Amino acid sequence: MPAVSEPPSPAVPVAISASPFSLSNSALPEPLKALIAARVGADSALQSPQLEAELADGTAGPSIQALKLQLIEIIALGNTWKTKVVGRKITPEEDARACFVQAWAMGRVGEYDGTTPEELPGKLENSLSLYAEAGRLLNLPPPPQ
């Protein structure tokens, strides 16, 4: 008979946006797994040599366009994933993971979507508020001011 694992205590760090395919994420609801997988894919795209070459050339080529669409998709998934969870309650840790992933995408999308310098602080504020919400859901102390 397999051992039943205990939920992590608030003092244990959470791999908040770890791969949805890892063993610790096997019980996550499918819409959250999709959100996390989209983030892992976008993070990989950020590391691609094609993107680095386009950035070095200063061209908005296909890698930049694809990354922009991935980030926009993550933000959209972050807004709707809870509505797709059926038959179970969403835990604060799951909600925090989603907030973290969406905040990450909001913080990055302005680099690739044509956001003007005047608009960037507003996007970053939205991102920071989601990071703060993730921390609140995990009962973490607020960051220093």
Side-chain angles (χ1 to χ4, degrees):
M1 178 177 208
V4 176
S5 63
E6 293 293 319
S9 74
V12 175
V14 175
I16 202 160
S17 68
S19 170
F21 307 107
S22 70
L23 186 59
S24 65
N25 293 330
S26 61
L28 294 177
E30 289 303 318
L32 182 55
K33 285 183 184 179
L35 177 63
I36 294 170
R39 186 242 187 245
V40 170
D43 193 44
S44 293
L46 280 165
Q47 310 304 319
S48 78
Q50 296 87 355
L51 180 68
E52 289 179 19
E54 288 177 23
L55 291 172
D57 291 343
T59 59
S63 296
I64 289 176
Q65 294 301 319
L67 177 59
K68 175 183 82 171
L69 293 175
Q70 284 179 295
L71 293 168
I72 291 169
E73 177 189 11
I74 291 168
I75 294 166
L77 286 171
N79 287 329
T80 61
W81 77 275
K82 286 184 194 180
T83 63
K84 298 173 184 169
V85 175
V86 180
R88 69 186 296 280
K89 185 177 176 184
I90 296 168
T91 68
E93 181 184 317
E94 292 166 347
D95 203 4
R97 286 176 184 228
C99 285
F100 179 87
V101 170
Q102 190 176 21
W104 176 86
M106 290 176 104
R108 298 304 306 249
V109 74
E111 299 175 57
Y112 304 100
D113 72 350
T115 297
T116 65
E118 297 78 26
E119 296 170 316
L120 197 53
K123 284 193 175 185
L124 293 175
E125 271 305 313
N126 291 339
S127 175
L128 288 174
S129 69
L130 282 169
Y131 280 124
E133 177 64 8
R136 186 192 67 72
L137 288 163
L138 294 172
N139 296 318
L140 299 175
Q145 297 294 325

